[in-house]
Amino acid sequence: MLRGGFRTADPDDAHERTEALMTGHRMAVRRDGAPFGADVRWVAGEGLGLLRFSYGAAVEIRSHPLDAFATVHLPVRGGFQAEHRGMRVRADTAYGAVFSSSGPLTMRWDAGLDLLVLKIDRADLERELALLLGRTPDGPLTFDLEMPRVGGTVSGAAELVRSTCAAAGPQGPPPRVWAALKNAAATALLLGHPHSFTDALRAPAPPASSTVVRRVLDRAGEDPARPPTAPELARLTGVSERTLRTVFHAEFGVGPVTYLRRRRLDAVHRELVDLDPAGPTTVADVAHRHGFAHAGRFAAEYRARFGEAPSTTLRCAPRM
């Protein structure tokens, strides 16, 4: 985690240092107002940053697209006008602004603006969104531009980051605490402010999908000797592993891997019952054909399910 800050009366110096913290942009100082005097502080770590800006003078900032992260701008004092994605917003102590997508961004900061900026990596936001949705998002994540601050969870998350970092001292919070702060900030933004997937998050959970179950069973039947893993089944069905487990627990009371293993045990049992005990096919032959490579583990699971050893099933099978 990094903590730092600088003060300068040189706009070019401030611009160069700020670009390293945020993204490429152009800055113009309005010379007919208060003198320029930058005071910038920040704390930043894996996936999350909290920055505080004060330039004294009124400035105009034209930013490059925010492709790698989303930012929440929360004026502590004063305000600014912003244009982003064809929309305009006035941010002040009553309303913040959220910038979250590619496209031109222009901000006109008032003289005396004191601005807090919460910065969250887009990859972390999208990863958290996928967990909340139970599936991979099928489009870009874009937040509403204007954010009311009264009673807002996002403002609370920013204050949580600030106060935790202040209490931790110069060394900052330990990595596990920083990770928890990042998760709290991402969750607060995804659940506390409207965006392109808000309706999907609020929709009731869909019932267990017969399509998902059918795809799993079809895959298991295609190659019984190579049982699929949970990640493979998730990729095959296009849902997350958590959603896959939810679907199978709703349908069968167990997860997909356990359910398929039971089906393979049942298939082995049926085949052993139908085999000629005097024939050349062994228990190991049948077990391998159904994806059981570990003889001891297979025998224990078989006995637990059918109350006898697989060799007993074969030996007691009726002769052809």
Side-chain angles (χ1 to χ4, degrees), residues 22-71:
M22 297 293 288
T23 190
H25 64 278
R26 291 181 295 166
M27 182 180 70
V29 180
R30 198 174 71 199
R31 299 294 182 179
D32 58 349
F36 183 87
D39 184 357
V40 179
R41 303 167 219 168
W42 71 87
V43 56
E46 180 67 30
L48 179 69
L50 187 68
L51 308 95
R52 192 158 183 169
F53 296 91
S54 175
Y55 282 172
V59 300
E60 179 175 286
I61 297 172
R62 295 181 179 272
S63 174
H64 292 179
L66 307 180
D67 292 324
F69 52 85
T71 58

Side-chain angles (χ1 to χ4, degrees), residues 225-243:
R226 189 179 67 84
T229 63
E232 179 186 351
L233 292 174
R235 290 192 299 270
L236 172 70
T237 56
V239 300
S240 69
E241 290 183 47
R242 184 172 67 176
T243 298

